Amino acid sequence: MMEAAATSGAYWLRLIIGLVVVLIFSQLNALFLVWLERKVAGHIQVRLGPMEVGPHGLLQTIVDGIKLVGKELITPARADRKLFVIAPVLVFMPVLVAFLVLPFGPDLIIRDMNVGLLLIFAFSTFSVLAILVGGWASNNKYALLGAIRSVAQAVAYEIPLLLSVMSVVIMVNSFRFSELVMAQQRVWFVFLQPVAALIYFICATAETNRAPFDIPEAESELVAGFHTEYSGMRFGLFFLAEYTNMFIVCAVATSLFFGGWHGPFGFSFKIPGVVWFLAKTYVLLFVLMWFRWTFPRVRFDQLMNFSWKVLIPLSMLNLVITALVLKFV
Amino acid sequence: MGYWKDIVLGGWSLIEGMKVTGRALFKPVVTVQYPRRHLEMSPAYRGHIELKVFPETGTHGCIACGTCQRVCPSHVIKVQGVKAHARSGKIATHYVIDYTRCSLCGLCVESCPTQTLKFSTEYELASDSRWDGVVDLVLRMEESRS
C-alpha cells in the first residue's frame, strides 16, 4: 500500500503536513513542558513558580525563548568551530525523526513502519553522539566531562532499556507501533509486564539525562555539563531537544505499556484516541518532573552499579521468564 | 539475601520520598506576591525606632533628656528640646536619627526614662538618597497623626 502511494502526490502531502505539524507540536510542547516543570517545581517547594507573564505565567517560556533568540552566539576561541556549530542541529534532528513513527491515534501515524520501535531507539542513541560532539568541540573541561559521562551513562542504560522493551516485543511479535498498541486493546502491558515497565521508565529517565540521573549536566559539579559553552539559540536547541526527548520516551512508554490510544480495559468513553494518548503521555511527563524534584542526584559509581548490578540482571530475568511463559503456556 | 532486600527497601524509600513531595504539591503556597500583597508585620519586628504616642496626652513623652543620645553606640541620635517656660520640663522639638548607620541594638529603647521609644514595623526602607535615612521622629509622628 505504501509503495503504491509513494508515487502519488498524497504521499508527499502527508509527509509535508506531518513535518509541519511535528515542528509546531515539538516547539509548543517544549514551551508548555518548561512552564509545567517550573510550576511543578514551585508547588513542590510550596511556592508559586512563574506568575508574572500571562495568566499564571503561561507566556513566560515564550518570553524566555525570544530572549534566547536575541542573544549573541558565542564560539569559544579554541573550539572546533564546525563541530561546535553542528552539534545543536545534530541533537535536535533525531528527535524530529522519532515523531515519524509515534502512534498518536489509530489514523495519526505519519508512517507506520514495520521497524518503528527500532527506529526510535536507533535515533535516540544518535543524540548521545551529538552530546559527545558538542562537549568535545567546546574545548572546555566541564563540557568534555559532561559529554563523557553522558556516553558512559547511555551505554549502561541502553541495555536494560532495550531488554525491557524486548519482553513486550516478543509478546506481540512486531516492532510496528500500530500492532503494539492494538495488542493492548483489552489489557495494558503494564499489568502483564510491570517489571519491564518500571525498568523502562527508570532507563528512560536516565536516557533523557533527567534527575536523579542528570550527572552529564550536574550543575553543582560541571557548571552545565556538555552545553556549558553554548549560548543563545544553540543552547536553546539543546534545551528544546531535551524536553522533546522527554516527550518521546513518555510517548513510547504510553504506547508500549499504557495502551497507547486505548482507554482503560477497552472502554474509550467516546473520547478520541489522540486525547487518551496525549493525556497518558503528559501524566508520565508529570511523573518524570515529580522524580526530578524528589530525588537527589546519584553518584557516578551508584549510577553504574544500579544499571549493571540491578537493572540489567532483572530485565534479563524478566525477558527469559517472558520467553519461557510464551513458549510453554 | 541482601541484594533483594536492598532493592525492596530502596524502592520503598523512593516511594516514601515521592509521597512527601506529592503532599507538598497540594499544600497551599507560602509565597506572598509582594508588591501586590503586603504582609502584616509582627509587633516583635524591629524596624527603626519611633516615638510612641500616649493616648492620655495625645503626644509623645520625650523630655529631651539625651540619655538615648549618650547611650547610642553609633552616635546616630540627636535630640533637641525647649522649655515652654522657666518652671516646666523640657519637651523634644526635634528627634533626628540617621537610620542608615543604626545597628538596631535597642539600647535607646531600653534606656528611655519615659519609655516613649519603640521599634516601628516599617520594612520598605529602600530609597535613592542616603539622606532619606535621616529622619526627624517628631516630624514623622506629627505627619502620621495628621
Side-chain angles (χ1 to χ4, degrees):
Chain A
M1 191 198 97
M2 268 301 174
E3 284 74 9
T7 49
S8 68
Y11 168 76
W12 286 107
L13 195 66
R14 190 183 170 94
L15 264 191
I16 289 168
I17 291 176
L19 190 64
V20 171
V21 169
V22 161
L23 274 174
I24 295 172
F25 178 78
S26 60
Q27 310 285 319
L28 286 182
N29 168 63
L31 288 178
F32 174 70
L33 281 185
V34 174
W35 173 82
L36 189 70
E37 173 103 62
R38 295 183 60 183
K39 272 296 185 195
V40 169
H43 282 274
I44 279 179
Q45 295 164 0
V46 205
R47 54 187 178 83
L48 283 163
M51 284 295 279
E52 292 302 318
V53 191
H56 285 262
L58 254 177
L59 303 177
Q60 180 70 50
T61 34
I62 297 179
V63 178
D64 288 349
I66 291 170
K67 186 205 75 175
L68 274 183
V69 172
K71 286 189 118 176
E72 186 188 355
L73 297 173
I74 297 168
T75 314
R78 299 180 65 190
D80 189 328
R81 218 159 252 278
K82 277 182 205 141
L83 287 182
F84 188 78
V85 172
I86 211 169
V89 185
L90 275 185
V91 81
F92 198 66
M93 193 261 312
V95 167
L96 283 183
V97 174
F99 274 97
L100 267 181
V101 289
L102 281 183
F104 285 91
D107 307 315
L108 273 174
I109 314 175
I110 299 175
R111 279 207 69 177
D112 190 16
M113 295 185 195
N114 55 356
V115 291
L117 194 58
L118 272 183
L119 184 105
I120 283 194
F121 289 122
F123 274 92
S124 72
T125 317
F126 200 77
S127 69
V128 179
L129 177 69
I131 286 175
L132 180 63
V133 167
W136 169 259
S138 300
N139 190 25
N140 173 312
K141 56 179 178 287
Y142 299 119
L144 184 59
L145 272 175
I148 290 169
R149 284 183 179 193
S150 177
V151 173
Q153 179 175 333
V155 168
Y157 279 82
E158 208 109 290
I159 301 165
L161 184 82
L162 292 176
L163 283 176
S164 64
V165 166
M166 265 319 282
S167 48
V168 171
V169 169
I170 59 172
M171 283 171 77
V172 184
N173 253 330
S174 169
F175 283 115
R176 198 189 284 270
F177 265 113
S178 57
E179 284 170 22
L180 282 164
V181 175
M182 281 317 285
Q184 304 178 62
Q185 200 156 17
R186 291 270 164 260
V187 187
W188 296 356
F189 282 154
V190 69
F191 300 115
L192 301 178
Q193 291 281 4
V195 180
L198 197 65
I199 291 173
Y200 173 84
F201 205 62
I202 292 170
C203 294
T205 320
E207 275 290 297
T208 48
N209 296 336
R210 299 266 314 165
F213 305 110
D214 60 343
I215 55 163
E217 42 194 295
E219 298 90 356
S220 43
E221 321 158 17
L222 294 184
V223 191
F226 55 87
H227 55 59
T228 305
E229 293 290 352
Y230 282 92
S231 54
M233 210 46 213
R234 286 182 193 153
F235 165 74
L237 274 180
F238 274 114
F239 210 57
L240 215 63
E242 186 188 327
Y243 277 89
T244 316
N245 250 329
M246 277 168 68
F247 180 84
I248 289 168
V249 294
C250 287
V252 171
T254 304
S255 37
L256 284 186
F257 297 106
F258 293 93
W261 63 72
H262 295 303
F265 305 107
F267 302 109
S268 72
F269 303 108
K270 296 216 170 15
I271 298 170
V274 60
V275 176
W276 274 117
F277 184 83
L278 286 179
K280 284 185 253 182
T281 307
Y282 279 105
V283 168
L284 288 180
L285 281 165
F286 167 74
V287 175
L288 268 188
M289 292 173 185
W290 193 358
F291 280 175
R292 172 163 177 192
W293 299 103
T294 305
F295 303 137
R297 182 180 307 129
V298 295
R299 230 168 40 218
F300 200 81
D301 59 318
Q302 292 169 334
L303 179 94
M304 287 297 155
N305 277 344
F306 186 55
S307 174
W308 291 101
K309 288 187 182 166
V310 178
L311 291 182
I312 292 179
L314 277 187
S315 53
M316 204 91 89
L317 197 67
N318 190 53
L319 183 62
V320 169
I321 291 172
T322 311
L324 288 178
V325 167
L326 283 177
K327 179 78 181 165
F328 295 112
V329 180
Chain B
M1 288 308 276
Y3 179 77
W4 296 104
K5 202 178 155 195
D6 276 358
I7 292 177
V8 172
L9 288 183
W12 182 249
S13 77
L14 295 183
I15 293 170
E16 288 283 337
M18 287 184 72
K19 270 201 256 174
V20 171
T21 43
R23 270 198 299 268
L25 191 64
F26 296 103
K27 268 191 203 156
V29 292
V30 293
T31 311
V32 177
Q33 295 283 80
Y34 164 61
R36 297 187 194 85
R37 275 192 55 214
H38 287 245
L39 276 183
E40 192 66 36
M41 294 313 281
S42 125
Y45 182 78
R46 283 187 168 202
H48 62 67
I49 53 167
E50 202 173 35
L51 290 173
K52 256 189 243 173
V53 176
F54 295 101
E56 308 90 72
T57 55
T59 180
H60 63 83
C62 180
I63 54 172
C65 64
T67 312
C68 47
Q69 192 174 315
R70 261 175 276 120
V71 83
C72 178
S74 321
H75 308 298
V76 299
I77 302 177
K78 275 276 178 301
V79 201
Q80 261 179 22
V82 289
K83 286 183 173 182
H85 48 86
R87 292 281 176 104
S88 70
K90 257 190 187 171
I91 293 173
T93 51
H94 298 279
Y95 193 113
V96 182
I97 61 162
D98 182 359
Y99 179 63
T100 57
R101 294 194 288 130
C102 169
S103 59
L104 289 167
C105 64
L107 285 177
C108 47
V109 178
E110 274 174 37
S111 67
C112 182
T114 55
Q115 275 147 32
T116 192
L117 288 175
K118 65 171 184 189
F119 290 109
S120 66
T121 53
E122 194 77 43
Y123 60 94
E124 291 167 303
L125 296 160
S127 73
D128 23 13
S129 161
R130 64 180 165 135
W131 299 112
D132 290 344
V134 181
V135 210
D136 188 336
L137 293 186
V138 178
L139 218 65
R140 189 184 137 87
M141 184 202 75
E142 273 161 11
E143 270 167 16
S144 70
R145 276 197 306 181
S146 60

